[in-house]
Amino acid sequence: MYQPLDIVYVIFGYLSAADLLNLSMSAKDVRAAVNSSGLWTQSILNTTYLPPRLPDLTPSRYVWLMLGKYCQACGCRTTLCQILERRRLCRKCLPKRRKYHVATYAEDQCMRWREDRAFTRLHELEIIRRERLLGIRMRLRSLNYRRHLAQIPYVVLARYRYCRIPRPLTDRSWNYIKPFVIAFVKNQARLWSTLQPF
């Protein structure tokens, strides 16, 4: 279905910088349309958590630097953001020798923002893991594995690979991992019951 460009630009004007970046990577025509308009500046304004834009970067390059997911040299997935280099590079593509450079105030703000964002993301993933573990323990209790859970230290189940996955526990995922988790709990309960003194 064909939409007039005016309507498309109005809709795109409400997107955050991350959404506009993902949208621009979907097709060449979309990227050309997004780059030819002033949508990048509007998307930065729509995104409240970004630090002030570095003055020597265009809005599109700034969004790519701060929120991109791919190396700008080889195209592989990376989380490294080289603020001083003004590029997103993977470990393989990082320059061997770096020039000595004193960070400006804006660069310092961007680097602190990246560190804060990484810490916040780690915290979010840990919360998801804890909720998943709690959900697994509740489902095991409903299946009458309370005695087994009482014999196993909390940390043992928390470090089990299906409990460490940073994704919410759904009925579908539980049905997939249930036989593995039950077998693990039974084996660990048997092991820990032999280790505990009578």
Side-chain angles (χ1 to χ4, degrees), residues 5 8-9 12 20-37 39-40:
L5 279 180
V8 172
Y9 286 143
F12 287 0
L20 193 64
L21 177 65
N22 291 332
L23 185 67
S24 71
M25 292 189 318
S26 66
K28 288 181 182 179
D29 295 339
V30 175
R31 186 178 313 122
V34 168
N35 287 338
S36 66
S37 64
L39 290 173
W40 288 110

Side-chain angles (χ1 to χ4, degrees), residues 95-136:
K96 299 297 180 233
R97 284 192 215 168
R98 295 188 187 178
K99 300 177 215 168
Y100 180 73
H101 178 78
V102 178
T104 64
Y105 177 72
E107 291 168 340
D108 188 48
Q109 275 189 316
C110 289
M111 288 187 281
R112 286 184 186 185
W113 174 81
R114 290 293 300 171
E115 291 168 3
D116 290 346
R117 187 164 183 235
F119 177 76
T120 303
R121 182 64 182 149
L122 287 175
H123 183 66
E124 289 171 358
L125 292 176
E126 192 57 37
I127 289 172
I128 292 170
R129 285 186 185 107
R130 285 181 188 169
E131 289 173 355
R132 181 181 180 91
L133 177 62
L134 182 64
I136 289 172

Side-chain angles (χ1 to χ4, degrees), residues 151 189-198:
Q151 293 173 340
R190 190 177 328 114
L191 174 72
W192 283 94
S193 65
T194 59
L195 294 176
Q196 292 174 356
F198 294 100

Side-chain angles (χ1 to χ4, degrees), residues 141-177:
R141 282 188 195 114
S142 68
L143 295 173
N144 292 326
Y145 285 98
R146 284 191 178 108
R147 185 174 51 86
H148 295 83
L149 288 173
Q151 293 173 340
I152 303 172
Y154 182 84
V155 176
V156 172
L157 186 60
R159 290 185 179 164
Y160 183 53
R161 66 178 179 172
Y162 289 116
C163 298
R164 293 289 304 159
I165 298 172
R167 273 183 256 138
L169 185 67
T170 61
D171 291 335
R172 182 178 176 187
S173 63
W174 170 246
N175 288 333
Y176 175 75
I177 67 170

Side-chain angles (χ1 to χ4, degrees), residues 36-72:
S36 66
S37 64
L39 290 173
W40 288 110
T41 306
Q42 182 61 37
S43 71
I44 292 171
L45 294 174
N46 292 344
T47 308
T48 56
Y49 55 83
L50 281 175
R53 183 167 63 90
L54 299 170
D56 59 333
L57 290 177
T58 62
S60 61
R61 289 206 47 200
Y62 172 69
V63 170
W64 181 267
L65 176 69
M66 300 307 285
L67 301 173
K69 297 176 183 166
Y70 300 99
C71 175
Q72 290 176 301

